[in-house]
Amino acid sequence: MRATILHAPGDIRVENAPEPKITASTDAVIRTVATCVCGSDLWSYRGVLPVAEAQPIGHEYVGIVEEVGSDVSSVRPGQFVIGSFVASDNTCPICQAGYHTSCQHAQWVNGAQAEYVRVPLADGTLVAVPEQPTEALIPSLLALSDVMGTGWYAAKAAEVQPGSTAIVVGDGAVGLSGVIAAKELGAERIIAMSRHEPRQKLALEFGATDIVTGRGEEGVARVKELTNGIGADAVLECVGTQESLHQALQSARPGGNVGFVGFPHGSRIDGQELFFSHVGLRGGPAPVRAYLPDLIDRVLTGRINPGRVFDLTLTLDEVAEGYKAMDERRAIKTLLRP
C-alpha cells in the first residue's frame, strides 16, 4: 500500500509499505476513505520532536472496515467507522470515568496517513456511522477523529456553561473546533484570539462574538477590557506554547477554568501564581472516544459542521505539499484522499 513516511525534519514521503494485518484478535483493519495532517504532526516535521529514524505518521482517520479479529463484535466488515487517535477498551475504570486516552490498555494509533490502518482494541475504539455517509459529510466526520473531539474536551475541561464567557486561545483547527464546542455548550460570549483574517472569519461563522488580535500581555489587557476587568469564566488553550498557556491563565477570572489541549512544548507553570489565582487547570490528550456518539449525531443532524476547518484537500501522493502548506500557515488543515 501507499503510506506516508517521515524520514527527517522537513522530509516527508509517500512510499510503498506492507499492508497492515490482524495481529491480535481484538484488531480491525480499516481502508481509509479520508485522513489528514494534524497540527501536532508538525512538531516532528519541524524537528521540535526528535526523528531518530524513518517512521509512519498520522493518527486521524475515517474509513471502511476491511477485516476484524475473532474477538471483535461491535463493528463488522463493510461499515463506515470513526476512531480515536488512542485505542481504548472502553470498559476499564478509567474509560468508564470518561478518560479513554488514559485507558489501562491504551495504545496509540499511528500510520493513518496511508491507504489502510490497523486499529487495536477495535470494539472500544471504533464507532460505526449508522449509514454510509454522503461525500459532503466526510470532512466533518473526519474532524471528529481528533480536532473536533479535542476542541470539545477543551470546552468541557474549561467547564463552559450556558450563559458564560469563553475565550479560545489559538486559531488552528482545534481552536476553531473549540469555538464550535463553546457555542454548543451554551457560552453567551466567545472571544477568539486570532491574528489571521481567514481564521477570524471562520471563527465568527462558528459562533465567536469577539476577535482579539493581541498576544501576550497585550492580548490579556484587551480581554480584561472586554470583560469589565474580570476575565473569562472559561478559557480554551489550544496551542501548547509557554506564551499561549500564560495568556490563557492570565485571561481567566478568579475561580474560572482553563482547559489546555495544545500539545505542550517548552511550557512551564508557576505553582505559586496558579495557587493565588484560584484558576482551575485541566487538560491532556482529549478522550475523543467518549464524545464520538454525541458528536456523530450532531454532524448527521446538521447542528455542527467542523469539516470547514479543512481548507486544503489533496491526494495522499501530495502529502508533502499538505505539510508544507500547514507549516507555512497557508492552510488551516489538510485533508488527504488516499
Side-chain angles (χ1 to χ4, degrees), residues 24 26 43-44 49 81 97 106 118 142 159 178 188 220 223 237 276 296 298-299 303:
T26 52
W43 300 121
S44 298
L49 297 179
V81 295
R118 182 182 70 87
L142 175 61
E159 299 187 15
E188 184 175 293
V220 172
V223 163
E237 193 285 307
F276 284 105
I296 289 171
R298 289 173 193 259
V299 166
R303 286 189 60 176

Side-chain angles (χ1 to χ4, degrees), residues 63-261:
I64 305 296
V65 178
E66 290 285 303
E67 185 181 3
V68 298
S70 58
D71 288 329
V72 176
S73 60
S74 68
V75 296
R76 62 182 184 275
Q79 287 185 308
F80 187 98
V81 295
I82 307 170
S84 168
F85 53 88
V86 172
S88 57
D89 60 24
N90 199 31
T91 59
C92 81
I94 306 303
C95 287
Q96 292 300 297
Y99 289 87
H100 294 65
T101 38
S102 288
C103 172
Q104 290 178 295
H105 305 102
Q107 298 181 51
W108 290 83
V109 177
N110 191 35
Q113 290 167 17
E115 293 181 290
Y116 296 89
V117 60
R118 182 182 70 87
V119 180
L121 302 173
D123 271 346
T125 305
L126 298 173
V127 178
V129 176
E131 299 178 358
Q132 179 68 30
T134 64
E135 282 293 317
L137 286 173
I138 286 175
S140 283
L141 293 172
L142 175 61
L144 306 187
S145 184
D146 184 348
V147 291
M148 185 62 237
T150 297
W152 195 268
Y153 176 54
K156 296 289 280 187
E159 299 187 15
V160 173
Q161 302 292 330
S164 63
T165 295
I167 293 174
V168 180
V169 179
D171 61 3
V174 172
L176 291 167
S177 297
V179 173
I180 295 175
K183 178 72 173 178
E184 286 290 293
L185 292 173
E188 184 175 293
R189 191 172 196 183
I190 302 171
I191 302 168
M193 307 194 86
S194 170
R195 287 185 164 185
H196 301 85
E197 189 172 340
R199 302 178 186 216
Q200 294 170 5
K201 182 174 182 292
L202 193 52
L204 291 169
E205 291 173 3
F206 280 163
T209 56
D210 303 88
I211 301 293
V212 169
T213 59
R215 290 183 179 175
E217 297 305 322
E218 178 188 350
V220 172
R222 180 59 181 147
V223 163
K224 293 295 178 68
E225 287 179 17
L226 292 171
T227 57
N228 298 317
I230 296 172
D233 304 304
V235 183
L236 289 63
E237 193 285 307
C238 304
V239 182
T241 64
Q242 178 69 58
E243 182 182 54
S244 64
L245 183 57
H246 179 74
Q247 184 169 298
L249 290 168
Q250 291 294 309
S251 297
R253 64 165 172 79
N257 294 282
V258 173
F260 72 111
V261 298

